[in-house]
Amino acid sequence: MSEDYCLIDPTRPPRADGPPYAECVLCREPTEYPESYKGITLCPVCEWQEAQRTSCSG
């Protein structure tokens, strides 16, 4: 049986080389990801807050 209880997918979208940037899905601020990326994008602040909220305690 696996001891890995974290079910969070650690994959992240590719970083953008420059504008235009995708908007954060939570606060609408620019993210570090390209506007062409299809999927959930979070700005650095929301990304950090989400990581804190969903981190595994153990």
Side-chain angles (χ1 to χ4, degrees):
M1 187 165 159
S2 174
E3 294 296 318
D4 184 11
Y5 297 103
C6 286
L7 301 176
I8 305 301
D9 183 5
T11 58
R12 303 172 82 184
R15 301 271 183 211
D17 292 330
Y21 298 110
E23 287 184 345
C24 176
V25 296
L26 298 178
C27 70
R28 312 295 285 178
E29 289 294 318
T31 66
E32 298 174 342
Y33 307 114
E35 194 175 60
S36 61
Y37 178 76
K38 303 294 184 212
I40 296 172
T41 54
L42 299 173
C43 71
V45 173
C46 290
E47 196 170 86
W48 182 84
Q49 289 173 341
E50 185 70 10
Q52 290 290 94
R53 189 181 69 75
T54 60
S55 68
C56 296
S57 59

